[in-house]
Amino acid sequence: MPELDKMGNGVADTAAGVAVRLPGMRVAYDGEAFDESALAGTWTEQLQHWLDQAESAGLPEPNAMVLATANAEGLPSSRTVLCKGLDARGVVFYTNYTSAKSHDLTVTRYASVTFPWYALHRQVTVRGEVEKVGAEETAAYWASRPRGSQLGAWASPQSRVVEGRRALDNALHAIERRFADVDEVPVPPHWGGWRIRPDTVEFWQGRQDRLHDRLRYVRTEDGWRIDRVAP
């Protein structure tokens, strides 16, 4: 008898069916040509342009990006974060400085993020050294966050094992009581931003026959050069 899942379906049969379908799962990328002549003068302008187009297209959370880090032993990790800053210095996200990602970044000082705009058949990958965002800049962003998000940042021991959801809820209730009479919740000492200062920024546009366009800004001693990379 095949093993059954909670709905009474054969687990082995279901898994086999998915495995059979996987090789045939594909989407035809029919994007327009993306040539060097179409690039903006700087990677910042080009990324902002594609971000604006992703937002106009109605993509959910167009500023979401997949952050890849590695620990001291080289063990990789990835997770989705939100880009909350973009200028010539790099891209910025905010997090708990005691989190697993922050431990990785403190050790290696290097990271990569990818903006995955699947519906547009596009992605952008930013890779480079990292640095902590200054206290003043962090405070300015913190002030823009909803109060609930601020309290959550105080309550969550990010990346640590907790004994169930109730532990998180209890921690949040304690923080709510702590700041009940405070109009402006302060920035936690263990919380702030990381900036990735890119040495490469690659713009990927899906094309027919999997011959995608990959144009890469590469930092040099004299500025930036543009490379086309084979797909």
Side-chain angles (χ1 to χ4, degrees), residues 153-164:
W154 273 97
S156 175
Q158 196 174 107
S159 299
R160 299 180 188 174
V161 176
V162 295
E163 296 182 359

Side-chain angles (χ1 to χ4, degrees), residues 17-98:
V18 172
V20 169
R21 295 197 304 274
L22 285 173
M25 290 181 181
R26 59 174 53 86
V27 174
Y29 298 154
D30 54 0
E32 297 181 358
F34 184 46
D35 297 323
E36 288 81 348
S37 60
L39 284 173
T42 66
W43 71 266
T44 314
E45 294 172 300
Q46 184 63 45
L47 179 51
Q48 185 63 64
H49 178 56
W50 274 20
L51 268 169
D52 291 343
Q53 290 185 332
E55 183 178 17
S56 297
L59 270 59
E61 296 198 294
N63 61 325
M65 54 189 187
V66 179
L67 168 69
T69 63
N71 65 13
E73 289 72 41
L75 185 66
S77 298
S78 61
R79 76 290 282 164
T80 301
V81 298
L82 297 177
C83 179
K84 291 298 182 178
L86 168 62
D87 58 30
R89 295 172 296 172
V91 296
V92 172
F93 65 92
Y94 290 87
T95 188
N96 189 315
Y97 283 145
T98 67

Side-chain angles (χ1 to χ4, degrees), residues 99-179:
S99 66
K101 69 177 79 67
S102 289
H103 283 304
D104 287 355
L105 296 175
T106 299
V107 171
T108 67
R109 312 303 297 185
Y110 215 78
S112 173
V113 289
T114 296
F115 293 85
W117 298 314
Y118 305 119
L120 298 180
H121 303 161
R122 286 177 174 174
Q123 64 181 9
V124 178
T125 300
V126 180
R127 185 181 65 186
E129 294 186 12
V130 299
E131 65 182 14
K132 286 185 176 180
V133 172
E136 184 175 342
E137 188 174 347
T138 292
Y141 169 68
W142 174 262
S144 74
R145 288 168 62 91
R147 184 179 180 89
S149 296
Q150 294 176 336
L151 296 175
W154 273 97
S156 175
Q158 196 174 107
S159 299
R160 299 180 188 174
V161 176
V162 295
E163 296 182 359
R165 177 70 199 193
R166 180 174 294 181
L168 291 175
D169 293 338
N170 290 341
L172 178 59
H173 295 331
I175 290 297
E176 288 174 337
R177 292 191 296 270
R178 175 179 174 181
F179 294 111

